[in-house]
Amino acid sequence: MCGIVAVVGQRAEDKVLSAMLDAVEARGPDGRESVSGDWFSVGFCRLAIYALEAGRQPVRSPDGAVTLAFNGEIYNFEALAERLGIRAASEAELLLQGYLAHGSSFVSQLDGDFAVVIVDEKRRVCELWRDRFGVKPLYYTMLPGRRLLISSEIRGLLAHPDFVLGWDELALAERYVLTFWSTERTTFKGVRQILPGHRTVIGPFDGSGAEGGALHVEEIPYTPERQISVVGECEVVKACTDTLQASIAKRVQHTQVSPVVVALSGGIDSSLLAALARRASSELTAITICGGPDELDARHSTLLASKLGIEHHLYTVSTERLLEVIPAVVLAQPANGAFLAWFLAEAMQRLTPSAKVLLCGEGADEMFHGYRVHSDPAGFKAQTLDALSAVSDLEGGSALLRRVRGWEQMEPAAYYEDVTALFLSAQLVNRHLVPFDHGTMARRVECRVPFLGLEMLDLHDRTPRRALGPNKPLLRRALNQLPELDASTRDALLTRQRTAGYTATEAARAGLRRLLMERGLTRSRLMASKIMRFSRNPEELFWLGAAHVVYFERRGKIDGMDFETLLEEAFNASPEW
């Protein structure tokens, strides 16, 4: 929905705050404002989706003592305002009034996807809130002189002249072992994320620039407004369908901009998502990323959209198109190739230019056990422990790697519960939610994830484990019982060949790997750099080298950079710590 930047502990110069906002401006092309006090500055750029006229930010208390900026959506906005007797024209105003009346405990009443920044001049502190799953990102770092930098994206921090960037060796080691890293970490030294589902208080700031203050982190006791009652397997399919439909309806209806777009691959998750979204809105469009109309995803998604009566578009991507956008995608999300999200948002801009909201199926595999780790937990453990041996000298510095080492002594059931919980937290945030947020918001589109609602988590926790997986049997049963689809359509969707992701983007990724080898990656300086130690394959090594060029050497400046330039500079990169 928006982009936030802030400097706390010192008032930012106008040109500095403006540069930070410039770096995240794609997140909010519909408005830009800032507020400063003697020891802070908060900037905001807006993507107008809800409360189109009244949603200006930052908002301030009548006495000017509290300043608040908010990115995201509060799905129980109207119900919460009515229950608490608060008159608010926008979600930001509701958050401010709730904080003024109830203090920090107000955050536990929110049902939504959000990142909130509050500067309280009376307490001389900064409060940072993040939603339960971490759908909305929020980064921070401390500069010398007790100055706090905050941004919705790391490149917002990069725009501050005093910010010095470095690789986080421990995060890279975690990434090598697991393909993801600790929930609060980034791959950059000193840059941290607010923990999902947590409230972080930093301060007090005394205004002198002296070192001091404290960082206090506490978990937010979120409670779903509607408790799920699941007794046994006979009730669980209806409970799943009803809960998911309610979660989708919240996200479809919480917008004043149409149409809402569904990312449709023709797989189990997106097909169920599209069918239930169709019940919630007639102003719905589906987009499928594909390599051509005869591709598996294209055929199945076209069939489903036709049966549901949904407007449907195919958007073709290729390795050649991937190469054209790589510099921009690296800038949007340096640690992972977020080009699926990028292409979905690009397709929306070209095919449905008025749309700003994208529904995607992220979280379904974590909630309903659809990964290889769920079907072959022993194999995943062996592979992970083998990778850990390559970075064992860094193991002691990482709580996450020590946790992985503990799997050696765990009984199979305990290990399965632990790895499942880890996939529902750190893996979900850093491999999926952050790339999808950054990849879509770079093209002025907000991604919403109905599988990740508070009621959906409650359903997950109350469902018998044998009904969850592996291979998402609960979602398959829910899809098989949809009355909107005839038996032949359901059978086609349920029996289709399984793929790792969108077939077109996987093909483009494979094409990139081949190209890197053909262009001489094995002879590049990158192969001799320290960063080589943390790469699993040529594509990952290239992404890290490309991120080093874009972030370290060019400080986020990619104007005019094409793939050939990025490739040459990445191949010649020799990252030092």
Side-chain angles (χ1 to χ4, degrees):
M1 172 183 172
C2 305
I4 304 170
V5 297
V7 180
V8 183
Q10 180 187 57
R11 182 188 179 112
E13 296 181 31
D14 290 345
K15 64 179 182 180
V16 170
L17 193 66
S18 179
M20 294 176 70
L21 278 170
D22 286 345
V24 300
E25 188 173 26
R27 299 183 69 90
D30 300 327
R32 174 167 162 162
E33 298 187 43
S34 61
V35 168
S36 292
D38 62 350
W39 57 282
F40 72 92
S41 296
V42 179
F44 182 83
C45 53
R46 184 181 184 218
L47 182 67
I49 295 175
Y50 192 78
L52 301 182
E53 301 300 324
R56 296 176 63 181
Q57 294 189 56
V59 292
R60 304 194 80 180
S61 60
D63 62 359
V66 176
T67 299
L68 182 146
F70 148 72
N71 169 35
E73 312 295 338
I74 307 300
Y75 299 120
N76 64 340
F77 162 57
E78 294 180 355
L80 188 55
E82 182 178 355
R83 185 168 73 237
L84 298 177
I86 294 176
R87 301 189 63 181
S90 70
E91 294 155 289
E93 289 184 9
L94 172 72
L95 293 172
L96 177 63
Q97 293 184 46
Y99 175 79
L100 293 174
H102 303 283
S104 302
S105 63
F106 176 68
V107 66
S108 65
Q109 301 184 57
L110 303 179
D111 178 7
D113 307 323
F114 55 83
V116 181
V117 176
I118 300 171
V119 178
D120 191 323
E121 298 195 56
K122 291 181 180 178
R123 296 165 57 211
R124 305 287 291 191
V125 301
C126 178
E127 289 214 11
L128 306 170
W129 302 346
R130 194 174 181 194
D131 66 76
R132 168 62 181 80
F133 295 98
V135 175
K136 298 302 178 187
L138 195 58
Y139 302 95
Y140 70 98
T141 191
M142 294 299 302
L143 297 181
R146 196 59 186 171
R147 292 172 295 164
L148 171 68
L149 298 187
I150 302 164
S151 179
S152 296
E153 294 189 16
I154 294 172
R155 53 182 163 166
L157 309 177
L158 193 67
H160 193 286
D162 295 339
F163 176 62
V164 178
L165 200 60
W167 287 111
D168 186 331
E169 194 174 26
L170 290 178
L172 291 177
E174 293 171 350
R175 179 184 184 275
Y176 175 78
V177 172
L178 290 158
T179 74
F180 56 90
W181 50 97
S182 302
T183 314
E184 74 280 7
R185 286 188 186 275
T186 70
T187 53
F188 298 125
K189 188 179 299 183
V191 179
R192 292 290 182 264
Q193 300 184 58
I194 297 303
L195 277 169
H198 283 71
R199 161 183 170 260
T200 298
V201 183
I202 305 176
F205 293 87
D206 62 12
S208 68
E211 295 293 333
L215 184 147
H216 172 73
V217 180
E218 64 179 32
E219 188 172 2
I220 299 167
Y222 290 120
T223 302
E225 293 192 329
R226 184 172 65 91
Q227 294 287 321
I228 306 299
S229 177
V230 176
V231 178
E233 291 191 38
C234 56
E235 297 93 354
V236 74
V237 176
K238 184 177 188 306
C240 175
T241 302
D242 291 348
T243 305
L244 181 57
Q245 183 172 350
S247 183
I248 291 170
K250 290 179 185 179
R251 288 155 177 81
V252 168
Q253 295 163 7
H254 194 82
T255 177
Q256 294 171 347
V257 179
S258 61
V260 171
V261 176
V262 177
L264 182 60
S265 70
I268 301 298
D269 312 335
S270 66
S271 296
L272 189 59
L273 179 63
L276 298 181
R278 183 67 179 83
R279 295 180 184 179
S281 174
S282 59
E283 294 185 285
L284 197 70
T285 297
I287 288 178
T288 301
I289 301 298
C290 65
D294 295 328
E295 197 176 64
L296 193 65
D297 288 356
R299 296 201 312 270
H300 284 84
S301 59
T302 299
L303 172 65
L304 178 73
S306 174
K307 295 295 182 181
L308 295 176
I310 298 176
E311 181 181 352
H312 180 230
H313 300 279
L314 300 178
Y315 190 73
T316 303
V317 301
S318 62
T319 303
E320 290 71 26
R321 179 58 184 152
L322 170 62
L323 300 184
E324 291 176 6
V325 303
I326 274 181
V329 176
V330 172
L331 178 61
Q333 172 53 20
N336 288 309
F339 60 91
L340 171 58
W342 176 279
F343 282 135
L344 284 166
E346 179 180 80
M348 285 178 62
Q349 285 188 322
R350 295 184 178 183
L351 302 173
T352 57
S354 65
K356 295 181 178 180
V357 175
L358 173 71
L359 298 183
C360 76
E362 298 301 295
D365 285 312
E366 288 82 3
M367 282 283 195
F368 296 98
H369 300 192
Y371 287 117
R372 176 192 159 223
V373 68
H374 300 114
S375 58
D376 182 20
F380 179 82
K381 181 200 285 189
Q383 180 184 40
T384 303
L385 290 173
D386 181 62
L388 181 59
S389 64
V391 293
S392 58
D393 57 312
L394 298 173
E395 182 180 326
S398 165
L400 179 57
L401 295 183
R402 295 196 302 272
R403 178 175 176 177
V404 170
R405 179 63 69 190
W407 292 347
E408 287 182 316
Q409 307 303 322
M410 284 187 180
E411 294 296 324
Y415 155 69
Y416 186 84
E417 287 298 316
D418 192 56
V419 73
T420 297
L422 188 58
F423 264 63
L424 193 52
S425 54
Q427 188 272 158
L428 176 61
V429 170
N430 288 320
R431 287 287 295 177
H432 297 276
L433 296 182
V434 166
F436 253 87
D437 173 271
H438 293 357
T440 55
M441 290 298 283
R443 301 196 64 93
R444 305 174 182 182
V445 168
E446 178 180 78
C447 183
R448 297 182 181 176
V449 281
F451 282 101
L452 299 179
L454 295 178
E455 287 87 358
M456 292 299 295
L457 181 60
D458 190 39
L459 172 73
H460 170 272
D461 292 345
R462 294 171 185 269
T463 299
R465 286 297 177 261
R466 61 183 177 276
L468 287 176
N471 299 325
K472 298 177 286 193
L474 183 52
L475 295 188
R476 290 175 173 274
R477 292 170 63 190
L479 181 65
N480 196 41
Q481 294 183 20
L482 287 179
E484 293 93 333
L485 304 179
D486 56 62
S488 62
T489 301
R490 293 197 299 265
D491 185 62
L493 295 171
L494 290 168
T495 59
R496 65 163 283 180
Q497 178 185 345
R498 294 193 65 193
T499 57
Y502 281 70
T503 52
T505 51
E506 290 302 307
R509 194 187 296 271
L512 173 62
R513 284 195 291 269
R514 289 193 300 270
L515 179 64
L516 293 172
M517 299 306 293
E518 292 170 1
R519 294 295 187 91
L521 176 63
T522 55
R523 300 186 300 275
S524 70
R525 290 182 61 197
L526 191 61
M527 291 291 289
S529 70
K530 290 185 177 180
I531 212 165
M532 169 64 185
R533 180 185 183 191
F534 302 110
S535 116
R536 285 187 172 217
N537 58 53
E539 182 198 347
E540 287 189 349
L541 180 60
F542 170 71
W543 279 109
L544 291 174
H548 186 88
V549 170
V550 170
Y551 272 72
F552 290 78
E553 298 178 6
R554 292 179 173 250
R555 291 192 68 85
K557 307 298 183 184
I558 62 164
D559 293 345
M561 175 182 274
D562 58 16
F563 171 70
E564 295 297 332
T565 302
L566 179 60
L567 182 70
E568 181 179 358
E569 294 191 17
F571 273 22
N572 289 315
S574 183
E576 301 294 333
W577 302 117

